Every structure is written in structure tokens, then in C-alpha cells.
């Protein structure tokens, strides 16, 4: 593994957005865009080194555009399956952190060597 590579942070948009009952269900795409913008502004709080943030969107949030500092991946099917594929591609070459509270997704990505943290890490 390349210890000098930027930490890859994969954010489960649906899970993080859904962690706060703020009316996100009325505008899923808008909620994902607000999360994207927050990530672009604050990065990964508490992390000192370089990070690459990938926001994975699915369903009604597909099509959210990337912004400087946040790459957006529109999952062609299951967002969870897409995140697992991203982790599988990256682990072994760089450190990976997945942001989600989804227990099954946490289990799947941890089995591939990713670290996992909950939505509060990026929600503040």
C-alpha cells in the first residue's frame, strides 16, 4: 500500500443524508448537493493529510455534478454495490475510509480492508 497516497473517502450519500430528519425526502437531489457542498467546504474534519472525497449517489440523486474537492459517482444500480466495487479497486494501493451507518455495507467494505466511520464524521 502507498502510505503517502491521499486517503480515499467514499461517502454513502443516501445514508448520510438520511441520518438527519431535515426534510431531505422532499428533494433527494438537493439534499445530496448540499452534502456535496459541505464536503467541498470542510473536507474530512479532524484529518490532517490529503484526502480524495468520492460522494456516491443513487436513485433520485443521480446526476449530481462534481465540484472542486468532491468527485461524484452516480451508481448505475445499487449504491452499496458500487461503493464495494470502489473499495475493492482501491484497497491495497491506498488507505480507504467509507462513511456510512449501513451495517451490511460496513461489514462488506471492512472485509475488503477499508476503515469505516459513521455519518457524524461529515455531518458535524
Amino acid at each position: 500500500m502507498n502510505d503517502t497516497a491521499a486517503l480515499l473517502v467514499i461517502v454513502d450519500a443516501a445514508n448520510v443524508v438520511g441520518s438527519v430528519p431535515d426534510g431531505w425526502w422532499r428533494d433527494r437531489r438537493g439534499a445530496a448537493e448540499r452534502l456535496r457542498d459541505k464536503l467541498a467546504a470542510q473536507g474530512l474534519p479532524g484529518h490532517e493529510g490529503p484526502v480524495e472525497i468520492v460522494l456516491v449517489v443513487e436513485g433520485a440523486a443521480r446526476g449530481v455534478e462534481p465540484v472542486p474537492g468532491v468527485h461524484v459517482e452516480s451508481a448505475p444500480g445499487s449504491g452499496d454495490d458500487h461503493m464495494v466495487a470502489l473499495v475493492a479497486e482501491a484497497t491495497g494501493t491506498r488507505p480507504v475510509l467509507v462513511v456510512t451507518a449501513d451495517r451490511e455495507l460496513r461489514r462488506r467494505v471492512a472485509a475488503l480492508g477499508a476503515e469505516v466511520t459513521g455519518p457524524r464524521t461529515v455531518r458535524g
Side-chain angles (χ1 to χ4, degrees), residues 54-122:
V54 176
L55 181 66
V56 176
V57 296
E58 61 185 319
R62 282 189 189 102
V64 168
E65 294 294 322
V67 296
V70 180
H71 177 75
V72 179
E73 291 263 341
S74 290
S78 161
D80 289 4
D81 290 346
H82 192 68
M83 285 179 274
V84 169
L86 292 173
V87 169
E89 185 179 306
T91 52
T93 62
R94 64 193 294 190
V96 180
L97 176 68
V98 177
V99 181
T100 186
D102 181 304
R103 286 184 183 149
E104 178 61 14
L105 178 58
R106 291 170 75 97
R107 184 197 63 74
R108 290 173 68 191
V109 298
L112 293 171
E115 295 292 321
V116 184
T117 191
R120 286 188 204 142
T121 302
V122 297

Side-chain angles (χ1 to χ4, degrees), residues 7-20:
L7 173 66
L8 176 60
V9 180
I10 300 172
V11 180
D12 181 351
N15 188 268
V16 173
V17 165
S19 69
V20 176

